[in-house]
Amino acid sequence: MAQQGSGGNVLAAICSLFIPGLGQLVQGRIIAAILFFVFASMFWALSWLVFPILFAGITHLWAIIDAAKFSSGNNL
């Protein structure tokens, strides 16, 4: 991924829209991908309670935004 807002980041954000953490995995950020997937899955699994569904939505949205705004740090 060349820079924030590149086509790769858009693809990663779309991937995270369907499965939280998939966009981070596409970007090669394995630890972030695992964490987003585990936490979002845990919250969605508990969504029959009142508060976890709010946390699930926030975590899922955070995964999408994180994938879209990622910058590899190699800005030449």
Side-chain angles (χ1 to χ4, degrees):
M1 310 307 133
Q3 61 185 359
Q4 177 180 337
S6 69
N9 286 2
V10 172
L11 177 64
I14 292 170
C15 290
S16 281
L17 177 66
F18 294 107
I19 299 174
L22 185 59
Q24 286 76 10
L25 189 62
V26 167
Q27 293 170 332
R29 301 173 5 187
I30 297 171
I31 302 295
I34 292 170
L35 290 174
F36 276 119
F37 181 76
V38 167
F39 281 106
S41 297
M42 180 180 62
F43 290 138
W44 282 119
L46 295 172
S47 65
W48 56 275
L49 297 171
V50 175
F51 290 111
I53 199 164
L54 177 65
F55 295 142
I58 290 170
T59 305
H60 203 140
L61 184 62
W62 184 13
I64 296 167
I65 293 170
D66 180 68
K69 296 186 111 191
F70 175 70
S71 177
S72 64
N74 295 332
N75 297 332
L76 298 175

